[in-house]
Structure formats: C-alpha cells, structure tokens
Amino acid sequence: MLDIKGLTKKIKNNLILDELDLEVQTGELIHVIGTNGSGKSTLFKLICHIMEADAGEIALSEQVTIGALIENPYFMENSSAQSNLKFLADINRQYDEKLIRQLLTQFDLDFDSPTRLKKYSLGMRQKVGIIQAIMENQNLILLDEPTRGLDQKALTTFNRLIAELITEQKTIIIASHDNLSELNFTRKLRLENGKLVAI
Ligand SMILES: Nc1ncnc2c1ncn2[C@@H]1O[C@H](COP(=O)(O)OP(=O)(O)OP(=O)(O)O)[C@@H](O)[C@H]1O
Ligand SMILES: [Mg+2]
C-alpha cells in the first residue's frame, strides 16, 4: 500500500535520508525507532508531502488516505477541541460527530466543553492530535511520538484504539522512543544513517 524507493532528503547540506527504501503492506503495524535527529519526523513529512524529497519515489495505492500526527500539531488556539476537529474533518467532508464524541470521551475529554485549545495541557493536546489522525477513517496512519504526555489511562486507551484499527485492516506506522510493549508490531525498524534497518 506504501512503496518508498530511494528516498533522499538533504536539509542544509546534511544528508538526512539516504536512498531509503520501505515497502509496507496493508494491515501492518510498524514501529520506527532512531536517535534524536535521525530523520523519523522528516520521513513522515515526506510521506504526507508537507516536505519535498530531493530524490526518490513514494508510491501509495489508489485508495490510501493518510492521517498523521507529526511533532506539535497546529490548532486554532482560540477554539474548542470540538470546533478544531470539526474544522479539520469538514475539509474532507468527513465530519462524523458521533465518532468524534466517542473518541473524545474515550480520552476523558468533553465534546461539549467550550474550553479553548490554548488552555489545554500537553497530554490533552496530544489526545486531540491523535483523534484528528484517525477520525476520518484514514487507512494509513502515521503517528510521531503519539504517547508523549499521555497518562497511564490514556496510554491504555491509545493501545486499545491502535489494536482496534489494526483489526479494521488499517496500516499504522509509529515513530517513538517509548517501548510500546503493549502493541503487537508486525515489524520494528531503526532509522540509521539515512536508511531503515530491520531489528
Ligand atoms: N526545518 C529544519 N531546519 C533545519 N534542520 C532541520 C529541520 N528539520 C529537521 N532538521 C534536521 O533534520 C534532521 C532530522 O530531523 P528529524 O526531526 O526528522 O529527526 P527525528 O528522528 O524526528 O528526531 P527526534 O527523535 O528528536 O524527533 C536533524 O538533524 C534536524 O536537525
Ligand atoms: Mg521527530
């Protein structure tokens, strides 16, 4: 469903990704690790076309829709979680109030709360970021450090959500320094010297 060949990216004369290859099948749950600055977030930005590669190809199957949480998600700070999520989902005409209400509730957030995003804690923002990456039924989900700031209960909810999405044949790639031992990864890869190596 995702086929990356020879992906190369330089940032300010530093070679971040060096002819990186990655072939992902539908339904995989992949853990990408790598030291700070190894290029994990860069790889995700290239897959989402937020950034342009210098060389290489990223081929997606026709029906693939991408949901992504990369670094610090941008929100409308003076609006509520509900307004932010509605705004984002409406762009693709995929607003599903019932689902968003359910996801917020699962993460102990209140759909009807008027609290502005700027008053949210790190973990609360992270939850909203995770929700926007899955709320449109996206079938390729890229999560960059998704568990950052989550408390124990939210971690349990997160693990359950990921397991559910995998049973629905979603494809998920998670970049994380956390062990995430509760998740049944199909593969673990390390980003090292600009390439992904199996571990
Ligand atoms: N906008 C930018 N300007 C300059 N350098 C950048 C920029 N974005 C990324 N880099 C550089 O690209 C390299 C890869 O960064 P990237 O954010 O992809 O790493 P990462 O693996 O996600 O690290 P972390 O584990 O800390 O999140 C780093 O050396 C970083 O300094
Ligand atoms: Mg990163």
Side-chain angles (χ1 to χ4, degrees), residues 101 104-111 120 124 127-128 131:
R101 187 182 281 277
L104 284 166
T105 306
Q106 284 179 41
F107 275 124
D108 283 327
L109 295 174
D110 180 4
F111 180 84
Y120 273 43
M124 290 163 83
K127 292 170 176 180
V128 181
I131 291 171

Side-chain angles (χ1 to χ4, degrees), residues 17-18 76 94 98 101 125 144 148 190 193:
L17 303 182
D18 181 13
M76 299 182 294
Q94 293 288 342
K98 188 165 165 257
R101 187 182 281 277
R125 298 176 76 87
D144 191 7
R148 186 178 60 164
R190 179 186 288 116
N193 302 322

Side-chain angles (χ1 to χ4, degrees), residues 96-196:
D96 180 343
E97 180 174 316
K98 188 165 165 257
L99 175 65
I100 290 173
R101 187 182 281 277
Q102 186 189 322
L103 288 167
L104 284 166
T105 306
Q106 284 179 41
F107 275 124
D108 283 327
L109 295 174
D110 180 4
F111 180 84
D112 298 305
S113 165
T115 305
R116 299 162 180 207
L117 250 290
K118 69 176 173 197
K119 304 270 184 192
Y120 273 43
S121 70
L122 176 70
M124 290 163 83
R125 298 176 76 87
Q126 191 72 358
K127 292 170 176 180
V128 181
I130 293 168
I131 291 171
Q132 62 77 37
I134 61 175
M135 69 182 175
E136 295 175 27
N137 205 26
Q138 297 97 324
N139 49 23
L140 173 60
I141 300 160
L142 309 176
L143 301 171
D144 191 7
E145 299 296 345
T147 53
R148 186 178 60 164
L150 295 188
D151 63 30
Q152 201 51 50
K153 186 169 178 221
L155 265 178
T156 305
T157 301
F158 173 78
N159 290 334
R160 203 180 51 230
L161 263 178
I162 296 297
E164 266 171 34
L165 291 166
I166 288 298
T167 63
E168 293 165 12
Q169 281 294 101
K170 304 284 166 57
T171 307
I172 306 177
I173 308 178
I174 301 178
S176 179
H177 298 289
D178 294 337
N179 202 10
L180 306 176
S181 54
E182 303 292 310
L183 292 175
N184 271 326
F185 289 103
T186 51
R187 279 195 280 168
K188 288 187 190 245
L189 305 170
R190 179 186 288 116
L191 191 38
E192 197 172 64
N193 302 322
K195 289 186 171 66
L196 284 168

Side-chain angles (χ1 to χ4, degrees), residues 40-41 71 144:
K40 304 179 298 294
S41 300
E71 294 175 339
D144 191 7

